[in-house]
Amino acid sequence: MALLAVNKLTKAFGGLVALNNFVLEMEKGELVGLIGPNGAGKTTVFNLLTGLYQPTSGNIVFEGRDLRGKHPHQITKMGIARTFQNIRLFGNLSVLDNVKIAHQVVINYGLIPAFLRIPPFYRREGEIEKAALELMEIFDLKKYAHEKAKNLPYGEQRRLEITRALATKPKLLLLDEPAAGMNPQETYDLLELIKWIRDEFDLTIILIEHDMSLVMGLCERVLVLDYGSLIAEGTPQEIQQNPRVIEAYLGDEEVAAWEE
Amino acid sequence: MKKYLSTLIICLVLAVFFVVVQLGINNGFITGYWVTNLYLVGINVILASSLNLINGFTGEFSLGHAGFMAVGAYSGAIITANLGLPFPLAVIVGMLAAGLTGVLVGLPTLRLRGDYLAIATLGFGEIVRVVLMNIDYVGGASGLRDIPFVVNWPIIFFSVVLSLLLIRNFICSSHGRACLSVRENDLAAEMMGINITYYKVLAFVIGAALAGLAGVLYAHYYTVLQPRDFSFMLTFDVLVMVMVGGLGSLTGSVVGAVLITVASAFLQSIPELRMVIYALLLIISAVFRPQGLLGEKEVSLKILQKLGGVFNGAVGSKQTH
């Protein structure tokens, strides 16, 4: 059984169809790239998968369960986590707290222990902190534990976003333009990091990205969206040759000009 | 070990403070006017810190605190004055009633953001006041009288300490962190598995219940309740305490509540200039310290130790000269 099955997913905002009959099946461990020009509906796919939007029609089945009508926080608990195109950290909180908050989906305790500070409070708090610090150690963020998240350098903020998403112990990770604003070296490091976390954390990943070197270097399969519709699907090499993809990115006339 | 030591120091300081004030009241060092203001400080500390939980820590701008206080005050007073039941029951009923009102008001209004939530909660406060004015059972506009005089220094002291402890324990727990994450970025919080509606309402309810407690104390000290005591101006005063102390700082709320209450007590003697000076203070603090006296920081023994270290260092270096 597929880990994720997206079936004829459509999202319309009034008359504007942001996503039209989107179909995707993913097996466990796959790394799929989602590309397309600006406004093609890529982030809409993520917003539908995470429950931020409800589909107009079609459905999403994750591990055999329908996601329609589920709240975002319930979907996170089921095992889907994401990062954001424009970084959305808890800026005024410490790096440690950022990771701790995400890990609370996995370990938590009731209100009574919190108010009365009885032993379960200390035990569970200890577990949350230990798990958060271990994860931060892996991503080399432990040294920033008590810094405010907003004071971190840009690249580290991106890494913290991924760390925080991983702290929810996801099975499916959605990365929304993780390389945005990075230089080639940082992009290369990120590529290695994504490969590594997929194996280490046993993840299935969907990646939205404009940086083709990242997409081509990482993904086994690439989906191309244009005006809300899926226009191509295949290996990175196939996609690079596909005339409809070139047309979507460069427009008709340029293609013509190229051919001349 | 060090943790227990600091807890011990705090307990010791509080105990000494409690005994000294109690002796002062017994021996007449603290006169009637200042006893009233002392109790008022206590009530205001509870109000400010509970409003800060909603406005500062969870980031929902509520202006309904006078309403919750009124609900607590009146329902507590009904228990003792109208039904003749004991005071502890009044405290429980007052807090429950205010908390329940918090759920009823919070569920629909916390979907609103910023200004809209402020307006909706402001409207709620006014509704409470007008409704109370029209219920004869609680005396209507002329007020509820003959509430037993119960409140004394130990009751105020322990109410304040317990309220602060409760809020502090909440904030320094996973639930408090969840509230902070809602303030910082609600969308990201939701994506991290935080049920943001639950946490918004939860903070709102805890804040409301504590405002209810403040109301019960208020009722059983003044022994008379009038709907006009709970006008928008009361919420405004509490809001000023929170802002002056620092949104998102619990110790800031304590400092703000003490400062504003004591300042207005001193200004009582010059009523014609009172509001002018009050407003000036606000403008000055808004211009020079918009984040409040403490910002988001907390005063803890650690900071005091650091200050102590600096001070000792300065003294030490002087001695070496």
Side-chain angles (χ1 to χ4, degrees), chain A residues 52 73 76 84 88 91-92 97 101 104-105 108-110 114-115 117 125, chain B residues 168-169 172-175 177 184-185 187-188 190-195 206:
Chain A
L52 221 52
H73 63 93
T76 309
F84 296 90
R88 286 178 179 274
N92 287 311
D97 278 348
I101 287 163
Q104 284 167 202
V105 178
N108 208 344
Y109 45 85
F115 279 131
R117 299 240 157 154
E125 272 294 310
Chain B
R168 191 279 243 148
N169 284 358
C172 301
S173 75
S174 64
H175 305 284
R177 280 197 299 270
E184 289 298 313
N185 195 318
L187 190 67
E190 207 169 11
M191 288 296 136
M192 294 303 124
I194 306 282
N195 185 345
I206 296 171

PDB file of all heavy atoms in Angstrom, chain A residues 52 73 76 84 88 91-92 97 101 104-105 108-110 114-115 117 125, chain B residues 168-169 172-175 177 184-185 187-188 190-195 206:
ATOM      1  N   LEU A  52      -4.282  22.760   6.046  1.00  0.00           N
ATOM      2  CA  LEU A  52      -4.498  24.203   6.152  1.00  0.00           C
ATOM      3  C   LEU A  52      -5.663  24.629   5.255  1.00  0.00           C
ATOM      4  O   LEU A  52      -6.425  25.518   5.595  1.00  0.00           O
ATOM      5  CB  LEU A  52      -3.213  24.912   5.719  1.00  0.00           C
ATOM      6  CG  LEU A  52      -2.782  26.112   6.522  1.00  0.00           C
ATOM      7  CD1 LEU A  52      -2.730  25.800   7.998  1.00  0.00           C
ATOM      8  CD2 LEU A  52      -1.422  26.580   6.048  1.00  0.00           C
ATOM      9  N   HIS A  73      -3.324  20.271  13.279  1.00  0.00           N
ATOM     10  CA  HIS A  73      -2.566  19.679  14.383  1.00  0.00           C
ATOM     11  C   HIS A  73      -2.791  18.175  14.481  1.00  0.00           C
ATOM     12  O   HIS A  73      -1.909  17.432  14.910  1.00  0.00           O
ATOM     13  CB  HIS A  73      -2.894  20.387  15.702  1.00  0.00           C
ATOM     14  CG  HIS A  73      -4.305  20.272  16.145  1.00  0.00           C
ATOM     15  ND1 HIS A  73      -4.744  19.286  16.992  1.00  0.00           N
ATOM     16  CD2 HIS A  73      -5.392  21.006  15.840  1.00  0.00           C
ATOM     17  CE1 HIS A  73      -6.043  19.427  17.197  1.00  0.00           C
ATOM     18  NE2 HIS A  73      -6.459  20.468  16.507  1.00  0.00           N
ATOM     19  N   THR A  76      -0.493  16.655  11.829  1.00  0.00           N
ATOM     20  CA  THR A  76       0.889  16.606  12.320  1.00  0.00           C
ATOM     21  C   THR A  76       1.085  15.382  13.209  1.00  0.00           C
ATOM     22  O   THR A  76       2.100  14.690  13.115  1.00  0.00           O
ATOM     23  CB  THR A  76       1.218  17.878  13.123  1.00  0.00           C
ATOM     24  OG1 THR A  76       0.856  19.011  12.351  1.00  0.00           O
ATOM     25  CG2 THR A  76       2.691  17.936  13.464  1.00  0.00           C
ATOM     26  N   PHE A  84       8.486  25.987   5.905  1.00  0.00           N
ATOM     27  CA  PHE A  84       7.809  27.038   5.166  1.00  0.00           C
ATOM     28  C   PHE A  84       8.757  27.749   4.207  1.00  0.00           C
ATOM     29  O   PHE A  84       9.950  27.864   4.458  1.00  0.00           O
ATOM     30  CB  PHE A  84       7.217  28.068   6.138  1.00  0.00           C
ATOM     31  CG  PHE A  84       6.149  27.496   7.007  1.00  0.00           C
ATOM     32  CD1 PHE A  84       6.455  26.933   8.232  1.00  0.00           C
ATOM     33  CD2 PHE A  84       4.830  27.506   6.591  1.00  0.00           C
ATOM     34  CE1 PHE A  84       5.466  26.401   9.036  1.00  0.00           C
ATOM     35  CE2 PHE A  84       3.838  26.973   7.384  1.00  0.00           C
ATOM     36  CZ  PHE A  84       4.147  26.421   8.605  1.00  0.00           C
ATOM     37  N   ARG A  88       9.201  30.505   9.221  1.00  0.00           N
ATOM     38  CA  ARG A  88       8.236  30.799  10.286  1.00  0.00           C
ATOM     39  C   ARG A  88       8.690  30.153  11.581  1.00  0.00           C
ATOM     40  O   ARG A  88       8.129  29.164  12.021  1.00  0.00           O
ATOM     41  CB  ARG A  88       6.860  30.250   9.924  1.00  0.00           C
ATOM     42  CG  ARG A  88       6.142  31.038   8.872  1.00  0.00           C
ATOM     43  CD  ARG A  88       4.832  30.389   8.576  1.00  0.00           C
ATOM     44  NE  ARG A  88       4.086  31.127   7.584  1.00  0.00           N
ATOM     45  CZ  ARG A  88       3.284  32.144   7.875  1.00  0.00           C
ATOM     46  NH1 ARG A  88       3.123  32.531   9.115  1.00  0.00           N
ATOM     47  NH2 ARG A  88       2.637  32.772   6.912  1.00  0.00           N
ATOM     48  N   GLY A  91      10.197  33.304  16.704  1.00  0.00           N
ATOM     49  CA  GLY A  91      11.378  34.154  16.719  1.00  0.00           C
ATOM     50  C   GLY A  91      11.885  34.578  18.086  1.00  0.00           C
ATOM     51  O   GLY A  91      13.089  34.602  18.325  1.00  0.00           O
ATOM     52  N   ASN A  92      10.969  34.929  18.992  1.00  0.00           N
ATOM     53  CA  ASN A  92      11.415  35.448  20.290  1.00  0.00           C
ATOM     54  C   ASN A  92      11.691  34.347  21.314  1.00  0.00           C
ATOM     55  O   ASN A  92      12.066  34.637  22.439  1.00  0.00           O
ATOM     56  CB  ASN A  92      10.366  36.401  20.863  1.00  0.00           C
ATOM     57  CG  ASN A  92      10.356  37.716  20.122  1.00  0.00           C
ATOM     58  OD1 ASN A  92      11.415  38.318  19.912  1.00  0.00           O
ATOM     59  ND2 ASN A  92       9.198  38.153  19.680  1.00  0.00           N
ATOM     60  N   ASP A  97      13.600  25.993  22.870  1.00  0.00           N
ATOM     61  CA  ASP A  97      12.136  25.987  23.023  1.00  0.00           C
ATOM     62  C   ASP A  97      11.441  25.706  21.697  1.00  0.00           C
ATOM     63  O   ASP A  97      10.422  25.016  21.657  1.00  0.00           O
ATOM     64  CB  ASP A  97      11.648  27.322  23.598  1.00  0.00           C
ATOM     65  CG  ASP A  97      11.784  27.365  25.108  1.00  0.00           C
ATOM     66  OD1 ASP A  97      12.038  26.302  25.702  1.00  0.00           O
ATOM     67  OD2 ASP A  97      11.645  28.455  25.691  1.00  0.00           O
ATOM     68  N   ILE A 101       8.853  22.626  21.627  1.00  0.00           N
ATOM     69  CA  ILE A 101       7.430  22.792  21.316  1.00  0.00           C
ATOM     70  C   ILE A 101       7.006  21.775  20.266  1.00  0.00           C
ATOM     71  O   ILE A 101       5.955  21.151  20.380  1.00  0.00           O
ATOM     72  CB  ILE A 101       7.150  24.245  20.852  1.00  0.00           C
ATOM     73  CG1 ILE A 101       7.222  25.184  22.043  1.00  0.00           C
ATOM     74  CG2 ILE A 101       5.799  24.345  20.169  1.00  0.00           C
ATOM     75  CD1 ILE A 101       7.367  26.641  21.682  1.00  0.00           C
ATOM     76  N   GLN A 104       6.558  18.242  21.573  1.00  0.00           N
ATOM     77  CA  GLN A 104       5.438  18.015  22.487  1.00  0.00           C
ATOM     78  C   GLN A 104       4.313  17.200  21.851  1.00  0.00           C
ATOM     79  O   GLN A 104       3.446  16.706  22.549  1.00  0.00           O
ATOM     80  CB  GLN A 104       4.889  19.358  22.986  1.00  0.00           C
ATOM     81  CG  GLN A 104       5.785  19.968  24.035  1.00  0.00           C
ATOM     82  CD  GLN A 104       5.479  21.420  24.349  1.00  0.00           C
ATOM     83  OE1 GLN A 104       6.340  22.115  24.841  1.00  0.00           O
ATOM     84  NE2 GLN A 104       4.260  21.871  24.047  1.00  0.00           N
ATOM     85  N   VAL A 105       4.354  17.073  20.519  1.00  0.00           N
ATOM     86  CA  VAL A 105       3.377  16.204  19.859  1.00  0.00           C
ATOM     87  C   VAL A 105       3.644  14.757  20.256  1.00  0.00           C
ATOM     88  O   VAL A 105       2.739  13.944  20.367  1.00  0.00           O
ATOM     89  CB  VAL A 105       3.505  16.333  18.324  1.00  0.00           C
ATOM     90  CG1 VAL A 105       2.535  15.414  17.627  1.00  0.00           C
ATOM     91  CG2 VAL A 105       3.255  17.742  17.916  1.00  0.00           C
ATOM     92  N   ASN A 108       4.062  14.460  26.015  1.00  0.00           N
ATOM     93  CA  ASN A 108       3.446  15.592  26.722  1.00  0.00           C
ATOM     94  C   ASN A 108       2.880  15.092  28.043  1.00  0.00           C
ATOM     95  O   ASN A 108       2.975  13.911  28.366  1.00  0.00           O
ATOM     96  CB  ASN A 108       2.354  16.232  25.870  1.00  0.00           C
ATOM     97  CG  ASN A 108       2.171  17.699  26.191  1.00  0.00           C
ATOM     98  OD1 ASN A 108       2.634  18.181  27.223  1.00  0.00           O
ATOM     99  ND2 ASN A 108       1.509  18.422  25.332  1.00  0.00           N
ATOM    100  N   TYR A 109       2.326  16.021  28.822  1.00  0.00           N
ATOM    101  CA  TYR A 109       1.707  15.643  30.090  1.00  0.00           C
ATOM    102  C   TYR A 109       0.502  16.541  30.303  1.00  0.00           C
ATOM    103  O   TYR A 109       0.315  17.528  29.599  1.00  0.00           O
ATOM    104  CB  TYR A 109       2.699  15.780  31.246  1.00  0.00           C
ATOM    105  CG  TYR A 109       3.497  17.057  31.218  1.00  0.00           C
ATOM    106  CD1 TYR A 109       2.999  18.224  31.762  1.00  0.00           C
ATOM    107  CD2 TYR A 109       4.741  17.086  30.613  1.00  0.00           C
ATOM    108  CE1 TYR A 109       3.731  19.393  31.723  1.00  0.00           C
ATOM    109  CE2 TYR A 109       5.483  18.255  30.564  1.00  0.00           C
ATOM    110  CZ  TYR A 109       4.976  19.402  31.118  1.00  0.00           C
ATOM    111  OH  TYR A 109       5.696  20.560  31.068  1.00  0.00           O
ATOM    112  N   GLY A 110      -0.317  16.194  31.295  1.00  0.00           N
ATOM    113  CA  GLY A 110      -1.561  16.920  31.512  1.00  0.00           C
ATOM    114  C   GLY A 110      -1.375  18.249  32.213  1.00  0.00           C
ATOM    115  O   GLY A 110      -0.262  18.653  32.545  1.00  0.00           O
ATOM    116  N   ALA A 114       1.387  19.991  35.347  1.00  0.00           N
ATOM    117  CA  ALA A 114       1.998  21.285  35.033  1.00  0.00           C
ATOM    118  C   ALA A 114       1.760  22.280  36.171  1.00  0.00           C
ATOM    119  O   ALA A 114       2.669  22.984  36.599  1.00  0.00           O
ATOM    120  CB  ALA A 114       1.416  21.829  33.732  1.00  0.00           C
ATOM    121  N   PHE A 115       0.516  22.332  36.661  1.00  0.00           N
ATOM    122  CA  PHE A 115       0.198  23.292  37.725  1.00  0.00           C
ATOM    123  C   PHE A 115       0.844  22.910  39.059  1.00  0.00           C
ATOM    124  O   PHE A 115       1.342  23.761  39.785  1.00  0.00           O
ATOM    125  CB  PHE A 115      -1.318  23.378  37.930  1.00  0.00           C
ATOM    126  CG  PHE A 115      -1.998  24.266  36.945  1.00  0.00           C
ATOM    127  CD1 PHE A 115      -3.121  23.849  36.249  1.00  0.00           C
ATOM    128  CD2 PHE A 115      -1.517  25.552  36.716  1.00  0.00           C
ATOM    129  CE1 PHE A 115      -3.749  24.680  35.328  1.00  0.00           C
ATOM    130  CE2 PHE A 115      -2.139  26.394  35.808  1.00  0.00           C
ATOM    131  CZ  PHE A 115      -3.252  25.950  35.115  1.00  0.00           C
ATOM    132  N   ARG A 117       3.339  20.658  39.610  1.00  0.00           N
ATOM    133  CA  ARG A 117       4.742  20.238  39.546  1.00  0.00           C
ATOM    134  C   ARG A 117       4.973  18.930  40.275  1.00  0.00           C
ATOM    135  O   ARG A 117       5.902  18.799  41.076  1.00  0.00           O
ATOM    136  CB  ARG A 117       5.658  21.312  40.131  1.00  0.00           C
ATOM    137  CG  ARG A 117       5.578  22.616  39.396  1.00  0.00           C
ATOM    138  CD  ARG A 117       6.915  22.984  38.839  1.00  0.00           C
ATOM    139  NE  ARG A 117       6.754  23.886  37.717  1.00  0.00           N
ATOM    140  CZ  ARG A 117       7.669  24.741  37.333  1.00  0.00           C
ATOM    141  NH1 ARG A 117       8.807  24.800  37.952  1.00  0.00           N
ATOM    142  NH2 ARG A 117       7.467  25.507  36.294  1.00  0.00           N
ATOM    143  N   GLU A 125       9.293  16.539  31.304  1.00  0.00           N
ATOM    144  CA  GLU A 125      10.084  17.695  30.871  1.00  0.00           C
ATOM    145  C   GLU A 125      11.508  17.256  30.545  1.00  0.00           C
ATOM    146  O   GLU A 125      12.092  17.693  29.556  1.00  0.00           O
ATOM    147  CB  GLU A 125      10.123  18.770  31.966  1.00  0.00           C
ATOM    148  CG  GLU A 125       8.986  19.758  31.941  1.00  0.00           C
ATOM    149  CD  GLU A 125       8.985  20.654  30.712  1.00  0.00           C
ATOM    150  OE1 GLU A 125      10.022  21.247  30.397  1.00  0.00           O
ATOM    151  OE2 GLU A 125       7.940  20.751  30.054  1.00  0.00           O
TER     152      GLU A 125
ATOM    153  N   ARG B 168       2.977  31.047  36.909  1.00  0.00           N
ATOM    154  CA  ARG B 168       4.380  30.728  36.626  1.00  0.00           C
ATOM    155  C   ARG B 168       4.533  29.257  36.242  1.00  0.00           C
ATOM    156  O   ARG B 168       5.190  28.937  35.247  1.00  0.00           O
ATOM    157  CB  ARG B 168       5.232  31.083  37.846  1.00  0.00           C
ATOM    158  CG  ARG B 168       6.716  31.046  37.617  1.00  0.00           C
ATOM    159  CD  ARG B 168       7.300  29.647  37.693  1.00  0.00           C
ATOM    160  NE  ARG B 168       8.244  29.515  38.775  1.00  0.00           N
ATOM    161  CZ  ARG B 168       8.428  28.391  39.460  1.00  0.00           C
ATOM    162  NH1 ARG B 168       7.709  27.316  39.207  1.00  0.00           N
ATOM    163  NH2 ARG B 168       9.316  28.340  40.407  1.00  0.00           N
ATOM    164  N   ASN B 169       3.910  28.356  37.006  1.00  0.00           N
ATOM    165  CA  ASN B 169       4.003  26.932  36.678  1.00  0.00           C
ATOM    166  C   ASN B 169       3.415  26.639  35.308  1.00  0.00           C
ATOM    167  O   ASN B 169       3.923  25.799  34.574  1.00  0.00           O
ATOM    168  CB  ASN B 169       3.276  26.093  37.731  1.00  0.00           C
ATOM    169  CG  ASN B 169       4.067  25.984  39.008  1.00  0.00           C
ATOM    170  OD1 ASN B 169       5.182  26.506  39.086  1.00  0.00           O
ATOM    171  ND2 ASN B 169       3.511  25.335  40.004  1.00  0.00           N
ATOM    172  N   CYS B 172       5.859  27.991  32.543  1.00  0.00           N
ATOM    173  CA  CYS B 172       7.081  27.202  32.434  1.00  0.00           C
ATOM    174  C   CYS B 172       6.762  25.723  32.249  1.00  0.00           C
ATOM    175  O   CYS B 172       7.425  24.872  32.836  1.00  0.00           O
ATOM    176  CB  CYS B 172       7.958  27.398  33.664  1.00  0.00           C
ATOM    177  SG  CYS B 172       8.429  29.092  33.906  1.00  0.00           S
ATOM    178  N   SER B 173       5.727  25.408  31.494  1.00  0.00           N
ATOM    179  CA  SER B 173       5.418  24.012  31.208  1.00  0.00           C
ATOM    180  C   SER B 173       5.228  23.880  29.707  1.00  0.00           C
ATOM    181  O   SER B 173       5.250  24.873  28.978  1.00  0.00           O
ATOM    182  CB  SER B 173       4.140  23.586  31.929  1.00  0.00           C
ATOM    183  OG  SER B 173       3.015  24.119  31.276  1.00  0.00           O
ATOM    184  N   SER B 174       4.992  22.661  29.258  1.00  0.00           N
ATOM    185  CA  SER B 174       4.776  22.465  27.818  1.00  0.00           C
ATOM    186  C   SER B 174       3.553  23.256  27.359  1.00  0.00           C
ATOM    187  O   SER B 174       3.524  23.772  26.246  1.00  0.00           O
ATOM    188  CB  SER B 174       4.581  20.981  27.527  1.00  0.00           C
ATOM    189  OG  SER B 174       3.411  20.510  28.151  1.00  0.00           O
ATOM    190  N   HIS B 175       2.556  23.373  28.245  1.00  0.00           N
ATOM    191  CA  HIS B 175       1.339  24.101  27.873  1.00  0.00           C
ATOM    192  C   HIS B 175       1.614  25.595  27.711  1.00  0.00           C
ATOM    193  O   HIS B 175       1.085  26.239  26.817  1.00  0.00           O
ATOM    194  CB  HIS B 175       0.250  23.859  28.911  1.00  0.00           C
ATOM    195  CG  HIS B 175      -0.017  22.399  29.116  1.00  0.00           C
ATOM    196  ND1 HIS B 175      -0.727  21.643  28.227  1.00  0.00           N
ATOM    197  CD2 HIS B 175       0.391  21.550  30.083  1.00  0.00           C
ATOM    198  CE1 HIS B 175      -0.772  20.391  28.646  1.00  0.00           C
ATOM    199  NE2 HIS B 175      -0.098  20.300  29.775  1.00  0.00           N
ATOM    200  N   ARG B 177       4.526  26.858  26.927  1.00  0.00           N
ATOM    201  CA  ARG B 177       5.316  27.011  25.691  1.00  0.00           C
ATOM    202  C   ARG B 177       4.395  26.991  24.481  1.00  0.00           C
ATOM    203  O   ARG B 177       4.611  27.727  23.517  1.00  0.00           O
ATOM    204  CB  ARG B 177       6.337  25.887  25.577  1.00  0.00           C
ATOM    205  CG  ARG B 177       7.580  26.096  26.398  1.00  0.00           C
ATOM    206  CD  ARG B 177       8.692  25.181  25.928  1.00  0.00           C
ATOM    207  NE  ARG B 177       8.347  23.782  26.065  1.00  0.00           N
ATOM    208  CZ  ARG B 177       8.586  23.048  27.151  1.00  0.00           C
ATOM    209  NH1 ARG B 177       9.194  23.603  28.180  1.00  0.00           N
ATOM    210  NH2 ARG B 177       8.254  21.794  27.191  1.00  0.00           N
ATOM    211  N   GLU B 184       3.867  33.689  18.956  1.00  0.00           N
ATOM    212  CA  GLU B 184       4.970  33.936  18.031  1.00  0.00           C
ATOM    213  C   GLU B 184       4.574  33.730  16.585  1.00  0.00           C
ATOM    214  O   GLU B 184       4.944  34.517  15.724  1.00  0.00           O
ATOM    215  CB  GLU B 184       6.148  33.023  18.385  1.00  0.00           C
ATOM    216  CG  GLU B 184       6.857  33.397  19.665  1.00  0.00           C
ATOM    217  CD  GLU B 184       7.472  34.776  19.583  1.00  0.00           C
ATOM    218  OE1 GLU B 184       8.127  35.062  18.571  1.00  0.00           O
ATOM    219  OE2 GLU B 184       7.272  35.569  20.511  1.00  0.00           O
ATOM    220  N   ASN B 185       3.885  32.628  16.298  1.00  0.00           N
ATOM    221  CA  ASN B 185       3.481  32.361  14.925  1.00  0.00           C
ATOM    222  C   ASN B 185       2.410  31.280  14.947  1.00  0.00           C
ATOM    223  O   ASN B 185       2.723  30.092  15.031  1.00  0.00           O
ATOM    224  CB  ASN B 185       4.684  31.904  14.103  1.00  0.00           C
ATOM    225  CG  ASN B 185       4.409  31.962  12.620  1.00  0.00           C
ATOM    226  OD1 ASN B 185       3.337  31.589  12.175  1.00  0.00           O
ATOM    227  ND2 ASN B 185       5.354  32.440  11.857  1.00  0.00           N
ATOM    228  N   LEU B 187       0.400  30.042  12.759  1.00  0.00           N
ATOM    229  CA  LEU B 187       0.381  29.063  11.665  1.00  0.00           C
ATOM    230  C   LEU B 187       1.432  27.977  11.892  1.00  0.00           C
ATOM    231  O   LEU B 187       1.152  26.780  11.785  1.00  0.00           O
ATOM    232  CB  LEU B 187       0.648  29.787  10.337  1.00  0.00           C
ATOM    233  CG  LEU B 187       0.438  28.947   9.095  1.00  0.00           C
ATOM    234  CD1 LEU B 187      -1.025  28.601   8.919  1.00  0.00           C
ATOM    235  CD2 LEU B 187       0.959  29.672   7.871  1.00  0.00           C
ATOM    236  N   ALA B 188       2.645  28.407  12.231  1.00  0.00           N
ATOM    237  CA  ALA B 188       3.714  27.437  12.487  1.00  0.00           C
ATOM    238  C   ALA B 188       3.359  26.583  13.698  1.00  0.00           C
ATOM    239  O   ALA B 188       3.603  25.377  13.707  1.00  0.00           O
ATOM    240  CB  ALA B 188       5.034  28.162  12.706  1.00  0.00           C
ATOM    241  N   GLU B 190       0.439  25.646  14.694  1.00  0.00           N
ATOM    242  CA  GLU B 190      -0.522  24.650  14.273  1.00  0.00           C
ATOM    243  C   GLU B 190       0.168  23.518  13.510  1.00  0.00           C
ATOM    244  O   GLU B 190      -0.148  22.349  13.679  1.00  0.00           O
ATOM    245  CB  GLU B 190      -1.590  25.311  13.407  1.00  0.00           C
ATOM    246  CG  GLU B 190      -2.897  24.591  13.464  1.00  0.00           C
ATOM    247  CD  GLU B 190      -4.024  25.388  12.836  1.00  0.00           C
ATOM    248  OE1 GLU B 190      -3.738  26.396  12.174  1.00  0.00           O
ATOM    249  OE2 GLU B 190      -5.177  24.981  13.008  1.00  0.00           O
ATOM    250  N   MET B 191       1.149  23.899  12.684  1.00  0.00           N
ATOM    251  CA  MET B 191       1.872  22.902  11.899  1.00  0.00           C
ATOM    252  C   MET B 191       2.767  22.030  12.779  1.00  0.00           C
ATOM    253  O   MET B 191       3.218  20.971  12.358  1.00  0.00           O
ATOM    254  CB  MET B 191       2.745  23.598  10.844  1.00  0.00           C
ATOM    255  CG  MET B 191       1.959  24.187   9.719  1.00  0.00           C
ATOM    256  SD  MET B 191       1.111  22.913   8.802  1.00  0.00           S
ATOM    257  CE  MET B 191      -0.465  23.665   8.594  1.00  0.00           C
ATOM    258  N   MET B 192       3.074  22.511  13.982  1.00  0.00           N
ATOM    259  CA  MET B 192       3.885  21.703  14.882  1.00  0.00           C
ATOM    260  C   MET B 192       3.004  20.851  15.804  1.00  0.00           C
ATOM    261  O   MET B 192       3.450  20.335  16.809  1.00  0.00           O
ATOM    262  CB  MET B 192       4.797  22.600  15.735  1.00  0.00           C
ATOM    263  CG  MET B 192       5.846  23.331  14.944  1.00  0.00           C
ATOM    264  SD  MET B 192       6.870  22.197  14.015  1.00  0.00           S
ATOM    265  CE  MET B 192       6.659  22.846  12.368  1.00  0.00           C
ATOM    266  N   GLY B 193       1.721  20.785  15.475  1.00  0.00           N
ATOM    267  CA  GLY B 193       0.832  19.907  16.231  1.00  0.00           C
ATOM    268  C   GLY B 193       0.177  20.562  17.435  1.00  0.00           C
ATOM    269  O   GLY B 193      -0.385  19.889  18.282  1.00  0.00           O
ATOM    270  N   ILE B 194       0.267  21.891  17.522  1.00  0.00           N
ATOM    271  CA  ILE B 194      -0.377  22.597  18.627  1.00  0.00           C
ATOM    272  C   ILE B 194      -1.826  22.903  18.251  1.00  0.00           C
ATOM    273  O   ILE B 194      -2.077  23.496  17.201  1.00  0.00           O
ATOM    274  CB  ILE B 194       0.356  23.941  18.926  1.00  0.00           C
ATOM    275  CG1 ILE B 194       1.845  23.714  19.156  1.00  0.00           C
ATOM    276  CG2 ILE B 194      -0.302  24.680  20.071  1.00  0.00           C
ATOM    277  CD1 ILE B 194       2.229  23.178  20.470  1.00  0.00           C
ATOM    278  N   ASN B 195      -2.753  22.522  19.109  1.00  0.00           N
ATOM    279  CA  ASN B 195      -4.158  22.854  18.884  1.00  0.00           C
ATOM    280  C   ASN B 195      -4.365  24.299  19.332  1.00  0.00           C
ATOM    281  O   ASN B 195      -4.560  24.580  20.511  1.00  0.00           O
ATOM    282  CB  ASN B 195      -5.032  21.901  19.691  1.00  0.00           C
ATOM    283  CG  ASN B 195      -6.504  22.094  19.416  1.00  0.00           C
ATOM    284  OD1 ASN B 195      -6.910  23.100  18.833  1.00  0.00           O
ATOM    285  ND2 ASN B 195      -7.299  21.134  19.823  1.00  0.00           N
ATOM    286  N   ILE B 206      -8.050  30.499  32.134  1.00  0.00           N
ATOM    287  CA  ILE B 206      -7.251  30.639  33.356  1.00  0.00           C
ATOM    288  C   ILE B 206      -7.198  32.108  33.758  1.00  0.00           C
ATOM    289  O   ILE B 206      -7.395  32.461  34.932  1.00  0.00           O
ATOM    290  CB  ILE B 206      -5.828  30.084  33.143  1.00  0.00           C
ATOM    291  CG1 ILE B 206      -5.884  28.581  32.865  1.00  0.00           C
ATOM    292  CG2 ILE B 206      -4.960  30.344  34.373  1.00  0.00           C
ATOM    293  CD1 ILE B 206      -4.560  27.989  32.425  1.00  0.00           C
TER     294      ILE B 206
END
